[in-house]
Amino acid sequence: MYLYTPDEIDRERAHHQAVIQGADELDVKRIGNLGELAFEQFCREYLPVEMWEWENEAAIRRCNSESFSGHDFDVFGYRIDVKTSRDVSAFRPAKILENDPDDDIIVMVWHRDNEDALILLGWERTETLKSKVRTQGAYSGEKPEKLAHLAARPMNELQDLGPNTAHMNQKPQNPFTPGDRVVKAEDNDPSVAVVVEVLPPEQDINLYGQTMDGEAVCVAFPNSLDDGPGNWREIHPAKLASYCDDQNIKLYTYKHTNLKYPDNPFTPGDYVIKPDYDDPDLAVVLQVADTGDDDRNLTIAFCKHLEKEFGEQMDISPADLHSRCDEAEIKSYSYDHGDLSFKHQY
C-alpha cells in the first residue's frame, strides 16, 4: 500500500475541476480527482513514463471539463479505472463490477474523512473480479457473517504487467509551483513573472523549432494578467492555469533551469503587510523602483485609505494606481522590499 498526501494545489484543483465539470455530487467528483492524482504519483515513481498515460492530466491541471473517456489511465496497454471511496465495502468484487465492468484493471484508493490523505490499497483485473463473483455465486455453504472478501493485489505487482525495463523515476526536478514569482536567470534587467503551470517531465515542449531538453514552466507577466477581467491576485494559484486558459492570457514557456527566484518579487497591485507589526494594516504596492541609496524601492498605500477614496470595489489598473493616488493626494509610504511580505487575498 502507498500513502498519498495531497498538497494545497492538488486539493484546490481537484475541487475546482469538479465545479467546472458540473458534477451532480461535488464531493464524489473531487475525491475521484484526488484518487487519480494519487495513482498518477504512483505511476511517476514506479512505472516507466513512456508506458503510461493519464487521460485527464490536462483537464485537471487546467481545471477544465474532462472529455469523455471510459477509463482514467492507460498502463502497459491496459485500461485502468481508479475507484476512490471512504467506504471499503465499495471494494467488494460484486460492488466494483456494478460500476466498472468494462475496464481491464481497477485500482482501489481509500481516503480519510477530511481528504488529507489517501491510501492506494491495491489493484485487480476485472476478469479476476468476475471470476470471484461467479465462484461466490456458486458457493453452496454458508457465507461468513463477519468477514467479507475485498479484492486487491499489492500495488507494486502492477510493474510485473509490463516488460522487463529499468526502473524510471519521473518525479519533477524543478522547484517551482504555481503562484511563485520568478525571473529569467542571467538577465541584466529581468521582469518578474508569475508561474502558472509546471508541466510534467515527460511533456515534449517545442521552442523555436527545437525540442526542449528539460522540464518546462509556463509563466505569465503581471501586466498581461492585470488586463484580464478579474483580479488575478484574488485567485488561488491552483486556478491560475484555468483562468489564463479561459481568458486567452498569453503564457511563456521556459526551461526551469533558466528561471530563478527574484530578489524583489513585488509588482504594482500586490497586497502586502509589514510582518514585524503586531497587527499590520493591509497595503497595496503602487510602484517598484530601482534600488536607491536608502534601499526604499517600494511605494505602497494602505487599503483603508484607498477604499475611503475610491470605494471597496476599486476598479483601477495597477499601472495607474500611483498616479491616481497622487491626484487624490492619498499618502504613500516607501519601504525596502525586504521589510514587506505578501498578504495573499485568495
Side-chain angles (χ1 to χ4, degrees), residues 91-116:
F91 304 134
R92 295 177 180 177
K95 191 72 173 177
I96 293 174
L97 291 175
E98 285 181 14
N99 300 316
D100 301 286
D102 299 324
D103 297 310
D104 298 322
I105 290 172
I106 305 297
V107 170
M108 288 150 271
V109 183
W110 177 86
H111 71 88
R112 285 165 51 95
D113 282 336
N114 57 4
E115 304 169 23
D116 64 341

PDB file of all heavy atoms in Angstrom, residues 91-116:
ATOM      1  N   PHE A  91     -15.169  -1.851  -2.258  1.00  0.00           N
ATOM      2  CA  PHE A  91     -14.142  -2.619  -2.943  1.00  0.00           C
ATOM      3  C   PHE A  91     -14.427  -4.118  -2.953  1.00  0.00           C
ATOM      4  O   PHE A  91     -13.544  -4.918  -3.260  1.00  0.00           O
ATOM      5  CB  PHE A  91     -12.777  -2.345  -2.309  1.00  0.00           C
ATOM      6  CG  PHE A  91     -12.407  -0.886  -2.295  1.00  0.00           C
ATOM      7  CD1 PHE A  91     -11.892  -0.303  -1.152  1.00  0.00           C
ATOM      8  CD2 PHE A  91     -12.596  -0.097  -3.415  1.00  0.00           C
ATOM      9  CE1 PHE A  91     -11.557   1.048  -1.126  1.00  0.00           C
ATOM     10  CE2 PHE A  91     -12.269   1.250  -3.406  1.00  0.00           C
ATOM     11  CZ  PHE A  91     -11.744   1.821  -2.264  1.00  0.00           C
ATOM     12  N   ARG A  92     -15.632  -4.501  -2.623  1.00  0.00           N
ATOM     13  CA  ARG A  92     -16.025  -5.893  -2.805  1.00  0.00           C
ATOM     14  C   ARG A  92     -16.153  -6.177  -4.298  1.00  0.00           C
ATOM     15  O   ARG A  92     -16.590  -5.309  -5.072  1.00  0.00           O
ATOM     16  CB  ARG A  92     -17.356  -6.172  -2.115  1.00  0.00           C
ATOM     17  CG  ARG A  92     -17.304  -6.043  -0.598  1.00  0.00           C
ATOM     18  CD  ARG A  92     -18.683  -6.278  -0.004  1.00  0.00           C
ATOM     19  NE  ARG A  92     -18.666  -6.149   1.450  1.00  0.00           N
ATOM     20  CZ  ARG A  92     -19.751  -6.246   2.219  1.00  0.00           C
ATOM     21  NH1 ARG A  92     -20.925  -6.462   1.657  1.00  0.00           N
ATOM     22  NH2 ARG A  92     -19.648  -6.103   3.530  1.00  0.00           N
ATOM     23  N   PRO A  93     -15.777  -7.362  -4.759  1.00  0.00           N
ATOM     24  CA  PRO A  93     -15.786  -7.647  -6.203  1.00  0.00           C
ATOM     25  C   PRO A  93     -17.112  -7.321  -6.890  1.00  0.00           C
ATOM     26  O   PRO A  93     -17.116  -6.676  -7.945  1.00  0.00           O
ATOM     27  CB  PRO A  93     -15.475  -9.149  -6.250  1.00  0.00           C
ATOM     28  CG  PRO A  93     -14.634  -9.380  -5.039  1.00  0.00           C
ATOM     29  CD  PRO A  93     -15.192  -8.476  -3.976  1.00  0.00           C
ATOM     30  N   ALA A  94     -18.224  -7.755  -6.310  1.00  0.00           N
ATOM     31  CA  ALA A  94     -19.514  -7.522  -6.953  1.00  0.00           C
ATOM     32  C   ALA A  94     -19.830  -6.035  -7.028  1.00  0.00           C
ATOM     33  O   ALA A  94     -20.390  -5.547  -8.023  1.00  0.00           O
ATOM     34  CB  ALA A  94     -20.617  -8.264  -6.193  1.00  0.00           C
ATOM     35  N   LYS A  95     -19.466  -5.309  -5.982  1.00  0.00           N
ATOM     36  CA  LYS A  95     -19.754  -3.868  -5.940  1.00  0.00           C
ATOM     37  C   LYS A  95     -18.950  -3.121  -6.991  1.00  0.00           C
ATOM     38  O   LYS A  95     -19.458  -2.226  -7.672  1.00  0.00           O
ATOM     39  CB  LYS A  95     -19.424  -3.335  -4.543  1.00  0.00           C
ATOM     40  CG  LYS A  95     -19.928  -1.928  -4.275  1.00  0.00           C
ATOM     41  CD  LYS A  95     -21.440  -1.906  -4.123  1.00  0.00           C
ATOM     42  CE  LYS A  95     -21.914  -0.525  -3.682  1.00  0.00           C
ATOM     43  NZ  LYS A  95     -23.384  -0.464  -3.590  1.00  0.00           N
ATOM     44  N   ILE A  96     -17.687  -3.518  -7.148  1.00  0.00           N
ATOM     45  CA  ILE A  96     -16.848  -2.868  -8.156  1.00  0.00           C
ATOM     46  C   ILE A  96     -17.412  -3.094  -9.547  1.00  0.00           C
ATOM     47  O   ILE A  96     -17.489  -2.170 -10.372  1.00  0.00           O
ATOM     48  CB  ILE A  96     -15.405  -3.397  -8.081  1.00  0.00           C
ATOM     49  CG1 ILE A  96     -14.748  -2.978  -6.761  1.00  0.00           C
ATOM     50  CG2 ILE A  96     -14.570  -2.886  -9.257  1.00  0.00           C
ATOM     51  CD1 ILE A  96     -13.379  -3.573  -6.538  1.00  0.00           C
ATOM     52  N   LEU A  97     -17.845  -4.314  -9.811  1.00  0.00           N
ATOM     53  CA  LEU A  97     -18.328  -4.655 -11.157  1.00  0.00           C
ATOM     54  C   LEU A  97     -19.639  -3.967 -11.493  1.00  0.00           C
ATOM     55  O   LEU A  97     -19.979  -3.813 -12.670  1.00  0.00           O
ATOM     56  CB  LEU A  97     -18.482  -6.171 -11.286  1.00  0.00           C
ATOM     57  CG  LEU A  97     -17.158  -6.950 -11.298  1.00  0.00           C
ATOM     58  CD1 LEU A  97     -17.436  -8.448 -11.302  1.00  0.00           C
ATOM     59  CD2 LEU A  97     -16.303  -6.557 -12.498  1.00  0.00           C
ATOM     60  N   GLU A  98     -20.395  -3.562 -10.484  1.00  0.00           N
ATOM     61  CA  GLU A  98     -21.632  -2.827 -10.752  1.00  0.00           C
ATOM     62  C   GLU A  98     -21.329  -1.526 -11.498  1.00  0.00           C
ATOM     63  O   GLU A  98     -22.114  -1.085 -12.351  1.00  0.00           O
ATOM     64  CB  GLU A  98     -22.348  -2.492  -9.441  1.00  0.00           C
ATOM     65  CG  GLU A  98     -23.045  -3.668  -8.793  1.00  0.00           C
ATOM     66  CD  GLU A  98     -23.750  -3.252  -7.514  1.00  0.00           C
ATOM     67  OE1 GLU A  98     -23.916  -2.019  -7.302  1.00  0.00           O
ATOM     68  OE2 GLU A  98     -24.119  -4.128  -6.717  1.00  0.00           O
ATOM     69  N   ASN A  99     -20.189  -0.888 -11.164  1.00  0.00           N
ATOM     70  CA  ASN A  99     -19.870   0.422 -11.729  1.00  0.00           C
ATOM     71  C   ASN A  99     -18.808   0.373 -12.822  1.00  0.00           C
ATOM     72  O   ASN A  99     -18.774   1.249 -13.680  1.00  0.00           O
ATOM     73  CB  ASN A  99     -19.376   1.351 -10.609  1.00  0.00           C
ATOM     74  CG  ASN A  99     -20.416   1.533  -9.522  1.00  0.00           C
ATOM     75  OD1 ASN A  99     -21.582   1.731  -9.798  1.00  0.00           O
ATOM     76  ND2 ASN A  99     -19.985   1.452  -8.265  1.00  0.00           N
ATOM     77  N   ASP A 100     -17.934  -0.623 -12.787  1.00  0.00           N
ATOM     78  CA  ASP A 100     -16.805  -0.657 -13.722  1.00  0.00           C
ATOM     79  C   ASP A 100     -16.611  -2.045 -14.318  1.00  0.00           C
ATOM     80  O   ASP A 100     -15.590  -2.693 -14.096  1.00  0.00           O
ATOM     81  CB  ASP A 100     -15.523  -0.233 -13.004  1.00  0.00           C
ATOM     82  CG  ASP A 100     -15.618   1.165 -12.419  1.00  0.00           C
ATOM     83  OD1 ASP A 100     -15.574   2.124 -13.207  1.00  0.00           O
ATOM     84  OD2 ASP A 100     -15.739   1.278 -11.185  1.00  0.00           O
ATOM     85  N   PRO A 101     -17.581  -2.523 -15.114  1.00  0.00           N
ATOM     86  CA  PRO A 101     -17.436  -3.883 -15.639  1.00  0.00           C
ATOM     87  C   PRO A 101     -16.571  -3.992 -16.890  1.00  0.00           C
ATOM     88  O   PRO A 101     -16.171  -5.087 -17.273  1.00  0.00           O
ATOM     89  CB  PRO A 101     -18.882  -4.265 -15.969  1.00  0.00           C
ATOM     90  CG  PRO A 101     -19.537  -2.962 -16.325  1.00  0.00           C
ATOM     91  CD  PRO A 101     -18.886  -1.919 -15.467  1.00  0.00           C
ATOM     92  N   ASP A 102     -16.271  -2.870 -17.554  1.00  0.00           N
ATOM     93  CA  ASP A 102     -15.672  -2.939 -18.888  1.00  0.00           C
ATOM     94  C   ASP A 102     -14.186  -2.607 -18.928  1.00  0.00           C
ATOM     95  O   ASP A 102     -13.546  -2.780 -19.969  1.00  0.00           O
ATOM     96  CB  ASP A 102     -16.416  -1.993 -19.840  1.00  0.00           C
ATOM     97  CG  ASP A 102     -17.882  -2.374 -19.990  1.00  0.00           C
ATOM     98  OD1 ASP A 102     -18.172  -3.584 -19.992  1.00  0.00           O
ATOM     99  OD2 ASP A 102     -18.720  -1.457 -20.079  1.00  0.00           O
ATOM    100  N   ASP A 103     -13.630  -2.076 -17.846  1.00  0.00           N
ATOM    101  CA  ASP A 103     -12.205  -1.744 -17.850  1.00  0.00           C
ATOM    102  C   ASP A 103     -11.373  -2.999 -17.616  1.00  0.00           C
ATOM    103  O   ASP A 103     -11.862  -4.016 -17.135  1.00  0.00           O
ATOM    104  CB  ASP A 103     -11.900  -0.695 -16.780  1.00  0.00           C
ATOM    105  CG  ASP A 103     -12.630   0.607 -17.048  1.00  0.00           C
ATOM    106  OD1 ASP A 103     -12.555   1.103 -18.181  1.00  0.00           O
ATOM    107  OD2 ASP A 103     -13.288   1.123 -16.122  1.00  0.00           O
ATOM    108  N   ASP A 104     -10.086  -2.912 -17.922  1.00  0.00           N
ATOM    109  CA  ASP A 104      -9.208  -4.068 -17.746  1.00  0.00           C
ATOM    110  C   ASP A 104      -8.783  -4.248 -16.289  1.00  0.00           C
ATOM    111  O   ASP A 104      -8.690  -5.375 -15.796  1.00  0.00           O
ATOM    112  CB  ASP A 104      -7.954  -3.912 -18.615  1.00  0.00           C
ATOM    113  CG  ASP A 104      -8.294  -3.862 -20.098  1.00  0.00           C
ATOM    114  OD1 ASP A 104      -9.204  -4.604 -20.520  1.00  0.00           O
ATOM    115  OD2 ASP A 104      -7.656  -3.079 -20.827  1.00  0.00           O
ATOM    116  N   ILE A 105      -8.511  -3.139 -15.614  1.00  0.00           N
ATOM    117  CA  ILE A 105      -7.965  -3.181 -14.254  1.00  0.00           C
ATOM    118  C   ILE A 105      -8.630  -2.089 -13.418  1.00  0.00           C
ATOM    119  O   ILE A 105      -8.880  -0.982 -13.916  1.00  0.00           O
ATOM    120  CB  ILE A 105      -6.432  -2.983 -14.269  1.00  0.00           C
ATOM    121  CG1 ILE A 105      -5.745  -4.213 -14.863  1.00  0.00           C
ATOM    122  CG2 ILE A 105      -5.876  -2.692 -12.866  1.00  0.00           C
ATOM    123  CD1 ILE A 105      -4.254  -4.023 -15.095  1.00  0.00           C
ATOM    124  N   ILE A 106      -8.909  -2.397 -12.165  1.00  0.00           N
ATOM    125  CA  ILE A 106      -9.428  -1.424 -11.214  1.00  0.00           C
ATOM    126  C   ILE A 106      -8.367  -1.187 -10.138  1.00  0.00           C
ATOM    127  O   ILE A 106      -7.839  -2.131  -9.548  1.00  0.00           O
ATOM    128  CB  ILE A 106     -10.734  -1.909 -10.550  1.00  0.00           C
ATOM    129  CG1 ILE A 106     -11.776  -2.279 -11.614  1.00  0.00           C
ATOM    130  CG2 ILE A 106     -11.268  -0.854  -9.587  1.00  0.00           C
ATOM    131  CD1 ILE A 106     -12.219  -1.135 -12.484  1.00  0.00           C
ATOM    132  N   VAL A 107      -8.047   0.077  -9.892  1.00  0.00           N
ATOM    133  CA  VAL A 107      -7.165   0.462  -8.788  1.00  0.00           C
ATOM    134  C   VAL A 107      -8.038   1.001  -7.667  1.00  0.00           C
ATOM    135  O   VAL A 107      -8.920   1.826  -7.898  1.00  0.00           O
ATOM    136  CB  VAL A 107      -6.137   1.522  -9.236  1.00  0.00           C
ATOM    137  CG1 VAL A 107      -5.378   2.090  -8.031  1.00  0.00           C
ATOM    138  CG2 VAL A 107      -5.161   0.923 -10.233  1.00  0.00           C
ATOM    139  N   MET A 108      -7.798   0.525  -6.446  1.00  0.00           N
ATOM    140  CA  MET A 108      -8.635   0.886  -5.301  1.00  0.00           C
ATOM    141  C   MET A 108      -7.904   1.835  -4.364  1.00  0.00           C
ATOM    142  O   MET A 108      -6.782   1.558  -3.922  1.00  0.00           O
ATOM    143  CB  MET A 108      -9.059  -0.375  -4.552  1.00  0.00           C
ATOM    144  CG  MET A 108     -10.103  -1.182  -5.321  1.00  0.00           C
ATOM    145  SD  MET A 108     -10.025  -2.962  -5.022  1.00  0.00           S
ATOM    146  CE  MET A 108      -8.874  -3.460  -6.291  1.00  0.00           C
ATOM    147  N   VAL A 109      -8.537   2.987  -4.084  1.00  0.00           N
ATOM    148  CA  VAL A 109      -7.940   4.026  -3.246  1.00  0.00           C
ATOM    149  C   VAL A 109      -8.912   4.389  -2.131  1.00  0.00           C
ATOM    150  O   VAL A 109     -10.070   4.706  -2.394  1.00  0.00           O
ATOM    151  CB  VAL A 109      -7.596   5.286  -4.075  1.00  0.00           C
ATOM    152  CG1 VAL A 109      -6.915   6.334  -3.196  1.00  0.00           C
ATOM    153  CG2 VAL A 109      -6.728   4.936  -5.273  1.00  0.00           C
ATOM    154  N   TRP A 110      -8.423   4.343  -0.905  1.00  0.00           N
ATOM    155  CA  TRP A 110      -9.226   4.702   0.270  1.00  0.00           C
ATOM    156  C   TRP A 110      -8.804   6.080   0.749  1.00  0.00           C
ATOM    157  O   TRP A 110      -7.621   6.439   0.710  1.00  0.00           O
ATOM    158  CB  TRP A 110      -8.985   3.687   1.387  1.00  0.00           C
ATOM    159  CG  TRP A 110      -9.698   3.997   2.674  1.00  0.00           C
ATOM    160  CD1 TRP A 110     -10.965   3.653   3.010  1.00  0.00           C
ATOM    161  CD2 TRP A 110      -9.156   4.690   3.808  1.00  0.00           C
ATOM    162  NE1 TRP A 110     -11.265   4.102   4.280  1.00  0.00           N
ATOM    163  CE2 TRP A 110     -10.170   4.742   4.793  1.00  0.00           C
ATOM    164  CE3 TRP A 110      -7.923   5.275   4.079  1.00  0.00           C
ATOM    165  CZ2 TRP A 110      -9.980   5.356   6.029  1.00  0.00           C
ATOM    166  CZ3 TRP A 110      -7.728   5.894   5.305  1.00  0.00           C
ATOM    167  CH2 TRP A 110      -8.753   5.926   6.258  1.00  0.00           C
ATOM    168  N   HIS A 111      -9.776   6.889   1.197  1.00  0.00           N
ATOM    169  CA  HIS A 111      -9.435   8.237   1.660  1.00  0.00           C
ATOM    170  C   HIS A 111      -9.981   8.492   3.058  1.00  0.00           C
ATOM    171  O   HIS A 111     -10.983   7.914   3.476  1.00  0.00           O
ATOM    172  CB  HIS A 111      -9.985   9.300   0.690  1.00  0.00           C
ATOM    173  CG  HIS A 111     -11.485   9.448   0.727  1.00  0.00           C
ATOM    174  ND1 HIS A 111     -12.134  10.291   1.598  1.00  0.00           N
ATOM    175  CD2 HIS A 111     -12.454   8.852  -0.008  1.00  0.00           C
ATOM    176  CE1 HIS A 111     -13.439  10.212   1.394  1.00  0.00           C
ATOM    177  NE2 HIS A 111     -13.666   9.349   0.431  1.00  0.00           N
ATOM    178  N   ARG A 112      -9.291   9.365   3.761  1.00  0.00           N
ATOM    179  CA  ARG A 112      -9.739   9.782   5.082  1.00  0.00           C
ATOM    180  C   ARG A 112     -10.922  10.741   4.959  1.00  0.00           C
ATOM    181  O   ARG A 112     -11.149  11.344   3.910  1.00  0.00           O
ATOM    182  CB  ARG A 112      -8.589  10.481   5.822  1.00  0.00           C
ATOM    183  CG  ARG A 112      -7.528   9.535   6.346  1.00  0.00           C
ATOM    184  CD  ARG A 112      -6.269  10.289   6.725  1.00  0.00           C
ATOM    185  NE  ARG A 112      -6.533  11.434   7.601  1.00  0.00           N
ATOM    186  CZ  ARG A 112      -6.454  11.405   8.931  1.00  0.00           C
ATOM    187  NH1 ARG A 112      -6.130  10.279   9.540  1.00  0.00           N
ATOM    188  NH2 ARG A 112      -6.676  12.493   9.654  1.00  0.00           N
ATOM    189  N   ASP A 113     -11.653  10.900   6.073  1.00  0.00           N
ATOM    190  CA  ASP A 113     -12.831  11.764   6.061  1.00  0.00           C
ATOM    191  C   ASP A 113     -12.509  13.182   5.606  1.00  0.00           C
ATOM    192  O   ASP A 113     -13.250  13.773   4.823  1.00  0.00           O
ATOM    193  CB  ASP A 113     -13.465  11.819   7.459  1.00  0.00           C
ATOM    194  CG  ASP A 113     -14.280  10.566   7.757  1.00  0.00           C
ATOM    195  OD1 ASP A 113     -14.720   9.922   6.795  1.00  0.00           O
ATOM    196  OD2 ASP A 113     -14.472  10.241   8.939  1.00  0.00           O
ATOM    197  N   ASN A 114     -11.420  13.744   6.111  1.00  0.00           N
ATOM    198  CA  ASN A 114     -11.107  15.131   5.769  1.00  0.00           C
ATOM    199  C   ASN A 114     -10.235  15.260   4.520  1.00  0.00           C
ATOM    200  O   ASN A 114      -9.714  16.346   4.244  1.00  0.00           O
ATOM    201  CB  ASN A 114     -10.442  15.844   6.952  1.00  0.00           C
ATOM    202  CG  ASN A 114      -9.187  15.134   7.431  1.00  0.00           C
ATOM    203  OD1 ASN A 114      -8.767  14.141   6.833  1.00  0.00           O
ATOM    204  ND2 ASN A 114      -8.588  15.627   8.497  1.00  0.00           N
ATOM    205  N   GLU A 115     -10.054  14.170   3.805  1.00  0.00           N
ATOM    206  CA  GLU A 115      -9.401  14.157   2.492  1.00  0.00           C
ATOM    207  C   GLU A 115      -7.943  14.629   2.541  1.00  0.00           C
ATOM    208  O   GLU A 115      -7.395  15.074   1.537  1.00  0.00           O
ATOM    209  CB  GLU A 115     -10.185  15.009   1.490  1.00  0.00           C
ATOM    210  CG  GLU A 115     -11.640  14.582   1.339  1.00  0.00           C
ATOM    211  CD  GLU A 115     -12.470  15.578   0.548  1.00  0.00           C
ATOM    212  OE1 GLU A 115     -11.877  16.340  -0.239  1.00  0.00           O
ATOM    213  OE2 GLU A 115     -13.702  15.609   0.715  1.00  0.00           O
ATOM    214  N   ASP A 116      -7.308  14.536   3.708  1.00  0.00           N
ATOM    215  CA  ASP A 116      -5.921  14.977   3.803  1.00  0.00           C
ATOM    216  C   ASP A 116      -4.930  13.860   3.497  1.00  0.00           C
ATOM    217  O   ASP A 116      -3.716  14.109   3.440  1.00  0.00           O
ATOM    218  CB  ASP A 116      -5.630  15.563   5.185  1.00  0.00           C
ATOM    219  CG  ASP A 116      -5.779  14.522   6.293  1.00  0.00           C
ATOM    220  OD1 ASP A 116      -6.428  13.492   6.043  1.00  0.00           O
ATOM    221  OD2 ASP A 116      -5.255  14.754   7.394  1.00  0.00           O
TER     222      ASP A 116
END
